[in-house]
Amino acid sequence: MAPTPTVQTDPPIRAFDLDAWAGDDYPARKQHLEQRIAESQGRARVDALLAMARFTLARALPEEGRAALDAAESLTPGPDQRYELRLLRDAFRALDGTADPDDSQFVRAQPTPAAADHHVWRSATLAPSRWTAAKSSLPIALKRLLSYPADLRGRLLTLLAESAGEAADGPSLNLIVLEMITLDGIGSTDGRLDFFRGRLAELHNETAEALTHYKRASALPNLYGHRAQVRSIELRLASGALDDPGAIAELESLRYAWRGGDVETDALAALGAAYTRAGRIDAALDIFGLLGRRFGATARGRAALTTGRGLLDAVIGHLETTPGSALDALSLQVRYGRTVALTDDDAGTQQRRLARLLARGGFTLEAARLLHTVAEATRGAQRAAVGLELARVLLDAGRGSEALAVLDHTAGPAPDAQAAERRALLRAEAFATEGEAMRAFDALRGLTGPEAARIRADSLFRAGEWPAARAAYAELLGGQDAPLPDDIAFHALAAFRAGDDAAVTAATERHGKALAGTRWAGLLDALAVPPDPPGKPLSSATVSGQLAAADALAGMLRRWKTP
């Protein structure tokens, strides 16, 4: 019988003896460790570098710690040392908020209730991106942090407070702030404590108290002071104590007083939102472009682009609800199209919204180009959905053959029956636009409903089958409580071309008022003038009717020519 292979498992994460790692005397401890590194070789040198890394972790010195770990890894450490290196590197990543929870020993291994240090570092690893999971370890972590070295404890409590505040978790933030107050007033000298107390008051809807804390914090010309100013502005805006022009003035001043880092990102985002609400879209777009240009592809840049995504959403939302915003949409695409693409999600949500705005404003060429780009960058069901939008834009521009090519190029498994029907309807409409009535009918086989009926009627109209088109449009009108003006107009035109004067007259009597104020106003009056009996002179009533019809037709043509 072959022996059962053993599965290699990582050892449990043991307790961190941070007081021993840090030592009582910083210079003496550091000098001792440096000497030990210099005097050792091979495995002993790796152990010495690991001791230096533990010392820098306990002292909250991540840059020096990473240097020690890099040096240790270059010396071919043993399996046990390699595991220790990995654990320390995960701790340093957690400390500066850059840890990947899916690639961290603290998350992959499940802590026991007795493994307090494991809970601390698991919570710190998860906090920035998965707060709900992180806070399950919070009670044990906060208790263990009471005995951590002061600098390391302050860094970790700050990280937890930031994450709780971002998640709007008032009860958890309250526990963290209480510990910060209890332990020598962590952050009391740099405005940090007042900043988090202000955030806590915000979450409790205590606006006056929040503003008091923010005012105290903002008296200090440092990171938390400037962050408190931004939060104060946003809170006063939300409460109505500050209007958008006042916020713009304060944020402009803050923007130039503090350059770089998260404060500038936050200030720019708030400033852009204020510009958007004030209707100053050009200024908001300038801020959006600045967010994209200034920060690039760094970690700070990714945070800035995330902020930019929120601003972009606000700007596009404003344009969607503002009549006559097509030129602003075009300006956004022409000036900052690349930044829009950078901030967008995998489905191209914002670019698709922008394309709809462009198409709505008549910029179909720009909308089509933008949707082409999104379609090439997406896959599967998302690509198929973008293809449907692009085909719609092309059809509205009368480009049926291109719409067919797009539908073929982006074809894939339909996510649902509704999407499959939508694709079939668009194909049929494209065939109708190209004058291929039989292929349009084939595409519509098995489809019912007003849209399918409208495409059938349109195909007959384009093919010059006037009696059949009149009948198809009559059937469509009969099934609608409020017929569309286009359907009424094409029914009347088909009846006129078929020589069915009675149908034209009936349409005028029944639907004449429905065309008032539309591009078809006057059409029915122009079509419904009965001719005089042949062989008789024109009556004055006939002349007056024909002159009125000509005037109505001229008015309709003028409206069609108006941009």
Side-chain angles (χ1 to χ4, degrees):
M1 232 178 119
T4 303
T6 58
V7 179
Q8 183 71 31
T9 58
D10 293 328
I13 295 173
R14 65 177 186 273
F16 285 19
D17 192 357
L18 291 160
D19 285 334
W21 293 356
D24 296 326
D25 188 324
Y26 174 82
R29 178 66 173 163
K30 186 181 181 199
Q31 184 178 7
H32 167 73
L33 291 171
E34 289 172 342
Q35 184 176 354
R36 181 180 164 191
I37 293 168
E39 293 175 351
S40 57
Q41 299 292 329
R43 181 179 175 85
R45 188 178 181 88
V46 174
D47 284 337
L49 286 164
L50 284 170
M52 176 61 82
R54 295 187 195 100
F55 165 73
T56 56
L57 178 64
R59 293 284 182 173
L61 300 169
E63 295 302 325
E64 293 88 336
R66 287 196 189 89
L69 294 177
D70 290 342
E73 284 181 342
S74 70
L75 298 174
T76 318
D80 58 327
Q81 293 172 319
R82 195 174 296 114
Y83 174 74
E84 189 73 13
L85 283 166
R86 173 62 187 275
L87 203 62
L88 287 167
R89 196 173 290 281
D90 284 346
F92 282 120
R93 287 172 178 153
L95 189 60
D96 61 16
T98 61
D100 177 2
D102 294 325
D103 191 36
S104 171
Q105 289 294 116
F106 298 115
V107 176
R108 289 163 59 184
Q110 291 299 316
T112 64
D117 287 303
H118 191 168
H119 282 278
V120 168
W121 294 98
R122 176 185 175 83
S123 186
T125 300
L126 290 166
S129 59
R130 304 179 189 175
W131 176 250
T132 301
K135 73 176 185 178
S136 64
S137 290
L138 194 60
I140 298 174
L142 290 177
K143 184 177 180 181
R144 176 67 177 112
L145 282 170
L146 290 170
S147 57
Y148 266 37
D151 289 339
L152 181 60
R153 179 173 61 225
R155 286 282 294 269
L156 289 169
L157 286 173
T158 299
L159 183 150
L160 294 172
E162 292 277 9
S163 301
E166 284 293 322
D169 184 349
S172 295
L173 182 57
N174 186 51
L175 292 175
I176 298 164
V177 168
L178 283 174
E179 186 153 322
M180 294 175 79
I181 295 171
T182 302
L183 297 171
D184 306 320
I186 288 174
S188 60
T189 59
D190 60 9
R192 193 182 344 170
L193 183 54
D194 267 316
F195 176 80
F196 289 126
R197 292 183 73 178
R199 180 65 181 134
L200 180 60
E202 268 195 83
L203 295 176
H204 289 161
N205 293 317
E206 297 169 348
T207 302
E209 184 176 347
L211 290 173
T212 298
H213 287 297
Y214 287 145
K215 184 177 181 180
R216 280 205 294 262
S218 63
L220 299 170
N222 61 12
L223 172 66
Y224 285 100
H226 286 81
R227 288 184 66 187
Q229 289 182 56
V230 175
R231 292 300 310 162
S232 173
I233 292 168
E234 292 180 332
L235 184 55
R236 283 181 287 141
L237 267 171
S239 66
L242 184 67
D243 59 12
D244 283 317
I248 289 169
E250 290 191 34
L251 287 165
E252 283 284 9
S253 174
L254 178 61
R255 170 186 170 189
Y256 293 109
W258 185 271
R259 303 300 295 269
D262 294 337
V263 173
E264 187 180 9
T265 302
D266 293 344
L268 287 172
L271 181 57
Y275 280 141
T276 301
R277 289 191 300 272
R280 295 174 59 182
I281 300 301
D282 277 347
L285 294 182
D286 287 340
I287 295 296
F288 174 69
L290 182 59
L291 281 168
R293 288 195 308 273
R294 170 128 340 139
F295 299 106
T298 62
R300 181 185 299 163
R302 287 189 291 275
L305 290 176
T306 299
T307 301
R309 185 179 294 123
L311 175 56
L312 176 63
D313 180 69
V315 169
I316 292 181
H318 178 84
L319 297 180
E320 287 172 336
T321 57
T322 304
S325 59
L327 287 175
D328 286 327
L330 182 63
S331 175
L332 174 57
Q333 172 57 17
V334 171
R335 294 165 63 190
Y336 302 119
R338 182 175 177 276
T339 308
V340 171
L342 282 173
T343 62
D344 213 349
D345 57 25
D346 292 339
T349 302
Q350 303 299 346
Q351 293 172 89
R352 290 162 70 179
R353 291 174 69 194
L354 180 55
R356 291 181 205 122
L357 283 170
L358 292 169
R360 187 180 76 182
F363 297 108
T364 54
L365 178 61
E366 291 76 9
R369 284 175 176 168
L370 181 54
L371 289 171
H372 266 297
T373 302
V374 177
E376 292 303 317
T378 52
R379 294 292 179 268
Q382 290 178 349
R383 179 184 176 89
V386 176
L388 297 180
E389 288 193 57
L390 176 54
R392 178 72 270 161
V393 169
L394 293 169
L395 283 170
D396 289 342
R399 295 155 63 181
S401 61
E402 291 179 58
L404 285 169
V406 165
L407 290 170
D408 290 338
H409 186 59
T410 60
D416 51 48
Q418 186 177 7
E421 180 177 340
R422 187 81 204 131
R423 178 175 293 277
L425 288 169
L426 288 169
R427 285 182 62 81
E429 186 176 347
F431 284 129
T433 301
E434 293 300 299
E436 299 187 47
M438 295 309 298
R439 297 186 72 180
F441 291 150
D442 286 341
L444 290 169
R445 188 173 289 118
L447 298 180
T448 58
E451 194 166 357
R454 186 172 293 109
I455 295 171
R456 289 188 181 94
D458 181 58
S459 299
L460 292 167
F461 189 95
R462 290 174 184 271
E465 300 289 340
W466 307 120
R470 179 201 57 74
Y473 274 114
E475 183 178 352
L476 181 62
L477 293 176
Q480 300 180 70
D481 294 331
L484 298 178
D486 283 6
D487 294 341
I488 297 170
F490 283 116
H491 169 248
L493 286 168
F496 179 80
R497 296 296 301 272
D500 191 341
D501 295 336
V504 174
T505 301
T508 304
E509 293 173 352
R510 184 177 180 184
H511 301 297
K513 293 181 179 179
L515 298 188
T518 73
R519 62 176 181 165
W520 298 107
L523 174 68
L524 296 181
D525 293 331
L527 298 179
V529 177
D532 271 1
K536 292 186 177 181
L538 294 176
S539 65
S540 60
T542 298
V543 172
S544 298
Q546 290 181 350
L547 287 174
D551 185 60
L553 188 58
M556 186 183 71
L557 291 175
R558 280 195 299 272
R559 284 191 297 276
W560 275 67
K561 289 181 179 180
T562 302

